[in-house]
Amino acid sequence: MSSGTGSDRYKLAADNRRARYDFEIGQVFEAGIMLTGTEIKSLRGGRSTIGESYAAEKGGEVWLYNAYIPEYLQANQFNHETKRPRKLLLHKKEIGRLAVAVQREGMTIVPLKIFFNEKGRAKVEIALARGKKLHDKRATEKERDWNREKSRVLRDKG
């Protein structure tokens, strides 16, 4: 599946739709990802998922954890681990920005999608995000009932 406009064409390998639902997405970064040959072949097959994955800064590097890239069946002897940590390739300034946002502002690094860019290189789109607050349904129900009652009282008086 190709998407994008103009020069930013890409082939989507894995998408994290839930991230946009669970988090308020802030600044977005594009990072390279260090993969083995069998991982790239599995990604091209399109069976990988990043719905439960996350990224974290550790020792001046950013790592992607819990991303599921299935084994490549034709290479059983040299297969990779399906959920091993994978290093993300970013510039030092970007790593610094991510680390500061996580430590000082309490943000989370969320992977949004894995894709192949126009040159055929595997990339990960990550974002700084905040968790959305779940609103209390009871409060909205009370407010709705109060508004209904208020409109009835005003209508009956008038």
Side-chain angles (χ1 to χ4, degrees):
M1 171 173 108
S2 290
S3 180
T5 57
S7 64
D8 63 332
R9 291 247 186 243
Y10 61 86
K11 180 186 179 290
L12 192 62
D15 193 14
N16 188 357
R17 293 184 205 154
R18 188 172 177 158
R20 296 190 191 282
Y21 179 76
D22 289 342
F23 295 97
E24 294 175 15
I25 304 299
Q27 189 174 6
V28 177
F29 297 89
E30 186 178 298
I33 182 170
M34 290 184 69
L35 299 170
T36 63
T38 58
E39 289 172 330
I40 291 175
K41 290 177 182 181
S42 290
L43 275 177
R44 289 195 194 279
R47 296 178 295 136
S48 58
T49 58
I50 58 169
E52 297 177 2
S53 64
Y54 63 96
E57 187 268 337
K58 181 179 176 185
E61 299 174 335
V62 178
W63 292 83
L64 179 66
Y65 296 99
N66 213 24
Y68 176 75
I69 300 176
E71 294 178 341
Y72 185 67
L73 297 177
Q74 288 81 356
N76 281 339
Q77 188 176 4
F78 304 106
N79 259 335
H80 60 272
E81 293 178 37
T82 56
K83 289 192 174 186
R84 74 173 180 87
R86 293 166 176 93
K87 184 177 174 182
L88 298 182
L89 306 172
L90 292 159
H91 294 285
K92 286 199 183 278
K93 286 183 180 180
E94 292 173 328
I95 294 171
R97 267 189 246 141
L98 290 169
V100 166
V102 168
Q103 291 171 357
R104 291 188 189 159
E105 299 171 26
M107 308 219 22
T108 306
I109 305 171
V110 179
L112 300 176
K113 60 185 164 189
I114 298 177
F115 62 94
F116 291 96
N117 66 3
E118 65 276 355
K119 294 181 181 178
R121 295 193 175 110
K123 299 282 186 173
V124 178
E125 190 175 90
I126 58 175
L128 285 170
R130 281 190 201 286
K132 287 184 180 175
K133 294 191 173 143
L134 300 174
H135 69 278
D136 188 3
K137 288 185 181 179
R138 293 172 300 191
T140 57
E141 288 173 2
K142 285 179 186 176
E143 185 178 339
R144 184 187 64 214
D145 292 343
W146 165 245
N147 287 335
R148 240 187 243 152
E149 189 65 31
K150 186 170 66 172
S151 66
R152 282 186 196 139
V153 169
L154 292 174
R155 186 178 55 220
D156 291 340
K157 282 187 175 182

